[in-house]
Amino acid sequence: MDMLDKKILEKAFTTLVTAKTMAEWYEANFKTVSKYVHATSRGHEAIQIAVAMQLGPQDYAFPYYRDDAMLLGIGMQPYDLMLQLLAKRDDPFSGGRTYYCHPSLRDADKPKIPHQSSATGMQAIPATGAAMGFWYKESMGLTQEAGDLPLVVCSLGDASVTEGEIAEAFQMAALKQLPILYLVQDNGWDISANAKETRAQNAFEYAKGFHGLEAISIDGANFIESYTALEQVIQTIRTERRPFLVHAKVPLLNHHTSGVRMEWYRDDLDEARSRDPYPVLWQQMLDAGFTASELQAIEATVLQQVEADYEKALAAEDPRPEDLFTHDFAPTPVTEEVGERSPQREDKVVMVDCALFAVEELMKKHPECLLYGQDVGGRLGGVFREAATLAQKFGDNRVFNTPIQEAFIVGSTVGMSAVGLKPIVEVQFADYIWPGLNQLFTEVSRSNYLTNGKWPVSMILRVPIGAYGSGGPYHSSSVESVLTNIRGIKIAYPSNGADLKGLLKAAYYDPNPVVILEHKGLYWSKVKGTDMARVNEPSEDYLLPFGKANIVQEIWPQETQETLTVITYGMGVHWALNASAGMATQVEIVDLRTLYPLDEDTIFKSVRKAKKCLVVTEEPVNNSFARSLAGRIQEECFRDLDAPVMVIGSENLPAIPLNSTLEQTMIPNAEKVKAKMEELLRY
């Protein structure tokens, strides 16, 4: 085996000894450090360090929760990691918010590490998104890096490779030939289940099914073998810009986590200890000319540092109660309505075209803006023609089709955003958002909060929603109640083209993740009574801030007749407007425009004026966003109310049937809303 430079070996040995000593120190002080769960790299150190030593500040790394040796290898100190181990206020990754070895890093002199979650394998899609970001920037001539071209390292345990989302990541990396290294550390175990009972093949064998993803298998417990193999792989990725998988066989020499002890279930510990990377590297150091006393001196120095850093970390300040409330969102520059909402135009524009023109204007102005999803490319331009002509105008690398991969579409935006892009992505129908919810909840929504503000995810997710024209049970659903229970995302649900354009533009300049729910029944105003969704298209500079409701029908306080306010959004606005014809002086209508943030001030002011309130939604009412809102109104406005807050929505059934009679029986309409209004006015 080729001998490496002595400086490389010395750094590797020092780092391995540091990781090993920390793991042993944690065991010796178990009662103190096990207050919070941790896992260590013991047995995995050689391969992790071999990768870390070959990464530069231009690279992006997506480690997993056993990669503390990798973190030491890129230059983190034991003290840094111990601050997270003990959930301290100065934890450089998360400010005490997340577990040990869940890093996030944006230091100028180190590889960049976006948010890392605990969900096994979930980092593969964001990591592949970052590599796709490099692919896009290089294809568009947007890269300005001097020196080595960047790459992405996605570190995985072999057990996670059975996750379906791994297949989506591998598929896209192979399809687009992305500059990414999937490092799979195979220790033969999940938690208590082993490879024999849970995996039909290892990751090296699995990768062969993805044409264009080259794979090698190595002994990850041998530092020199690992370093030399990775040196060649990394150089190939840097120059040829294509994906690789490295399957590294390693032993697990410590507990799965501090909470799941190896002695409870392991029957292979003696065999695993026979493959310890530490004595292998010790011998390699001796072969390179180091003396045993020199190695012992390194170990003594490391032990001294680990002890000192531990005592220092123990004494560090814990987070303060007020720290809980920081970094749920990054500040947005869009706080006021600007631009011309309704300029003089020859013709009014349908809602779908308002969005199309908004995206086109953004793409003309911002080369970092791109659009992808299913069927949005040049041949079709979206199933609703919402991306028509964009691929022809901006090219197939900028507006492109993805495979049928909702998880990838949603989760890749984490990596895309991290490398400085602004992706606009689509889920084709709200009914198909469910495979993407894992990424939306686990990765997208929590990134800013759990990285203590370092990595907000700047993305827009467009979702056609709602029942229209016998779409049937898989093209008609409303999903806002699920989405409003995901904290860390903003949600718009416009009722007309002007709001859609203004909110879409505001979403582009917002550094946070935004979901825009677009009712497909309003896209072309083909549904009777929805002409008001057509508008004079707003000016190019029109911006509508989130969290500002619109009073689309205003009333004055009445002394002689009963009044009510309707709180609604989307199609509900049109039902309410049509239902209130003939009693416009009695019915105020508030269009929420955004479901989060919510304009509570406008809602409560309107309710206190009218004294009665009806919440109108298209969703089935039970356990819904609308019912929750009604409860909030009742709680806040109880003393001003002359009647209970009422809610009308769809019938509480599992799906919207295909038959048009059944569909119309299930969902609200103007007549049903009018009857509910009259009931409430009579109360």
Side-chain angles (χ1 to χ4, degrees):
M1 187 173 288
D2 295 337
M3 188 55 63
L4 293 178
D5 181 275
K6 286 186 72 174
K7 288 183 179 177
I8 292 174
L9 285 171
E10 184 174 6
K11 181 179 178 183
F13 181 78
T14 303
T15 307
L16 188 151
V17 167
T18 303
K20 174 177 176 289
T21 302
M22 289 166 66
E24 292 166 349
W25 192 259
Y26 298 164
E27 282 299 295
N29 295 274
F30 183 75
K31 284 190 176 180
T32 302
V33 303
S34 63
K35 179 179 180 181
Y36 306 113
V37 171
H38 67 269
T40 71
S41 59
R42 190 71 193 91
H44 292 229
E45 301 98 333
I47 185 67
Q48 291 180 18
I49 295 163
V51 171
M53 289 178 65
Q54 300 184 59
L55 300 180
Q58 77 277 26
D59 298 320
Y60 278 65
F62 290 75
Y64 84 119
Y65 54 78
R66 201 173 298 288
D67 280 340
D68 57 359
M70 186 183 295
L71 299 177
L72 294 169
I74 65 169
M76 303 304 291
Q77 296 301 306
Y79 178 66
D80 299 322
L81 274 59
M82 289 171 178
L83 287 171
Q84 189 173 50
L85 174 81
L86 300 167
K88 296 294 187 175
R89 188 170 196 253
D90 290 336
D91 154 30
F93 304 129
S94 74
R97 291 176 172 173
T98 195
Y99 310 97
Y100 180 70
C101 202
H102 286 58
S104 57
L105 201 62
R106 211 163 186 170
D107 291 359
D109 62 340
K110 297 181 185 72
K112 308 303 176 277
I113 305 178
H115 164 246
Q116 299 305 302
S117 74
S118 289
T120 55
M122 292 304 98
Q123 70 272 35
I125 284 177
T128 308
M132 191 163 74
F134 289 145
W135 163 84
Y136 171 73
K137 291 169 81 171
E138 289 161 27
S139 74
M140 300 299 293
L142 300 177
T143 52
Q144 297 169 339
E145 288 93 348
D148 289 338
L149 283 172
L151 59 79
V152 177
V153 172
C154 176
S155 179
L156 299 158
D158 191 57
S160 72
V161 178
T162 57
E163 287 275 10
E165 293 186 19
I166 300 290
E168 294 193 19
F170 287 1
Q171 181 74 241
M172 204 63 175
L175 178 68
K176 294 286 186 185
Q177 289 295 282
L178 304 179
I180 186 167
L181 165 61
Y182 298 105
L183 172 67
V184 180
Q185 301 173 55
D186 183 359
N187 62 34
W189 288 92
D190 296 16
I191 297 180
S192 65
N194 61 31
K196 185 177 180 181
E197 59 189 301
T198 58
R199 302 197 267 297
Q201 65 282 306
N202 66 32
F204 169 69
E205 295 159 340
Y206 184 55
K208 292 178 181 177
F210 297 89
H211 297 169
L213 174 60
E214 189 171 339
I216 62 171
S217 186
I218 63 172
D219 179 3
N222 184 313
F223 175 74
I224 291 180
E225 180 181 338
S226 297
Y227 190 94
T228 52
L230 282 162
E231 190 172 38
Q232 187 172 349
V233 166
I234 286 172
Q235 184 58 29
T236 302
I237 297 173
R238 290 203 195 281
T239 55
E240 298 181 18
R241 315 309 280 159
R242 60 189 178 93
F244 264 83
L245 182 143
V246 172
H247 171 249
K249 297 183 288 292
V250 293
L252 179 60
L253 301 181
N254 206 343
H255 312 290
H256 169 71
T257 67
S258 56
V260 183
R261 313 293 285 170
M262 57 187 172
E263 57 268 17
W264 295 347
Y265 61 91
R266 292 283 295 277
D267 55 9
D268 66 337
L269 287 171
D270 289 341
E271 188 277 333
R273 288 168 185 140
S274 73
R275 295 184 287 123
D276 189 339
Y278 166 68
V280 176
L281 185 52
W282 178 284
Q283 185 59 51
Q284 289 170 343
M285 297 287 284
L286 295 178
D287 294 344
F290 290 92
T291 65
S293 60
E294 287 174 323
L295 302 185
Q296 289 162 355
I298 290 171
E299 292 187 322
T301 301
V302 166
L303 178 59
Q304 191 175 19
Q305 182 190 1
V306 168
E307 290 181 5
D309 282 4
Y310 175 74
E311 292 301 325
K312 186 179 170 188
L314 272 180
E317 182 186 5
D318 281 320
R320 302 166 189 170
E322 59 267 26
D323 294 336
L324 175 69
F325 301 99
T326 58
H327 303 303
D328 51 344
F329 291 97
T332 177
V334 183
T335 57
E336 298 295 333
E337 187 172 2
V338 297
E340 198 171 352
R341 180 178 173 86
S342 187
Q344 287 294 320
R345 304 275 193 191
E346 190 172 329
D347 295 306
K348 290 192 173 184
V349 174
V350 293
M351 194 164 163
V352 71
D353 284 346
C354 283
L356 174 64
F357 299 153
V359 174
E360 182 175 344
E361 290 165 1
L362 288 167
M363 294 186 84
K364 279 181 181 173
K365 190 173 182 179
H366 302 285
E368 67 276 13
C369 175
L370 70 165
L371 172 71
Y372 57 94
Q374 294 166 31
D375 299 303
V376 300
R379 287 190 196 89
L380 187 59
V383 295
F384 298 105
R385 306 294 288 152
E386 74 282 1
T389 74
L390 292 179
Q392 289 83 352
K393 289 174 180 173
F394 298 105
D396 292 335
N397 283 357
R398 204 160 171 206
V399 180
F400 59 89
N401 294 327
T402 64
I404 301 171
Q405 295 185 339
E406 287 83 6
F408 185 88
I409 291 166
V410 173
S412 61
T413 64
V414 176
M416 284 287 215
S417 172
V419 301
L421 300 174
K422 181 77 180 202
I424 302 174
V425 297
E426 271 194 26
V427 169
Q428 204 162 69
F429 291 90
D431 304 75
Y432 302 136
I433 199 172
W434 310 116
L437 278 190
N438 202 353
Q439 289 289 326
L440 190 64
F441 176 81
T442 305
E443 309 299 330
V444 174
S445 72
R446 296 178 164 200
S447 180
N448 194 56
Y449 189 69
L450 292 182
T451 65
N452 225 18
K454 293 191 297 295
W455 293 102
V457 178
S458 189
M459 60 86 88
I460 300 171
L461 172 59
R462 296 180 63 189
V463 184
I465 192 170
Y468 157 65
S470 298
Y474 294 101
H475 298 81
S476 308
S477 297
S478 294
V479 300
E480 59 264 32
S481 290
V482 172
L483 296 177
T484 52
N485 271 283
I486 300 176
R487 326 299 172 186
I489 60 174
K490 297 185 179 182
I491 303 164
Y493 200 148
S495 66
N496 60 77
D499 287 349
L500 176 52
K501 183 173 184 180
L503 290 167
L504 208 160
K505 286 288 188 77
Y508 184 84
Y509 297 108
D510 195 313
N512 300 288
V514 174
V515 179
I516 301 185
L517 303 173
E518 306 174 15
H519 199 294
K520 59 185 192 290
L522 298 177
Y523 266 157
W524 301 285
S525 291
K526 288 183 179 178
V527 176
K528 183 182 177 183
T530 61
D531 286 344
M532 286 186 66
R534 293 175 183 259
V535 296
N536 291 340
E537 185 202 347
S539 60
E540 183 171 347
D541 61 347
Y542 180 62
L543 297 172
L544 182 60
F546 277 58
K548 303 285 186 184
N550 184 29
I551 301 176
V552 295
Q553 183 166 289
E554 189 168 9
I555 63 171
W556 300 106
Q558 300 285 332
E559 297 294 335
T560 58
Q561 60 180 350
E562 295 296 304
T563 57
L564 68 84
T565 183
V566 175
I567 311 297
T568 189
Y569 53 93
M571 184 64 82
V573 174
H574 301 273
W575 291 329
L577 283 166
N578 290 305
S580 65
M583 46 180 168
T585 60
Q586 291 178 271
V587 178
E588 183 152 295
I589 301 171
V590 177
D591 180 356
L592 295 177
R593 301 202 284 205
T594 63
L595 308 187
Y596 194 89
L598 192 62
D599 187 354
E600 291 190 343
D601 289 345
T602 298
I603 294 168
F604 298 154
K605 185 177 178 183
S606 180
V607 171
R608 289 180 179 123
K609 174 172 62 175
K611 309 296 185 186
K612 294 179 179 179
C613 177
L614 176 63
V615 180
V616 178
T617 181
E618 188 171 320
E619 280 193 299
V621 170
N622 285 3
N623 306 310
S624 64
F625 164 78
R627 172 109 340 133
S628 173
L629 178 57
R632 179 88 180 96
I633 292 167
Q634 204 133 275
E635 180 182 329
E636 197 68 28
C637 304
F638 181 76
R639 293 176 182 274
D640 300 283
L641 289 167
D642 289 343
V645 177
M646 294 188 182
V647 184
I648 184 172
S650 291
E651 301 295 337
N652 290 291
L653 294 163
I656 297 177
L658 180 65
N659 177 272
S660 58
T661 300
L662 296 177
E663 179 190 61
Q664 290 306 310
T665 304
M666 180 163 175
I667 66 174
N669 56 36
E671 289 73 26
K672 293 177 186 178
V673 172
K674 182 177 182 179
K676 197 72 175 175
M677 287 177 177
E678 291 171 342
E679 175 191 344
L680 188 52
L681 288 170
R682 289 193 304 268
Y683 188 92

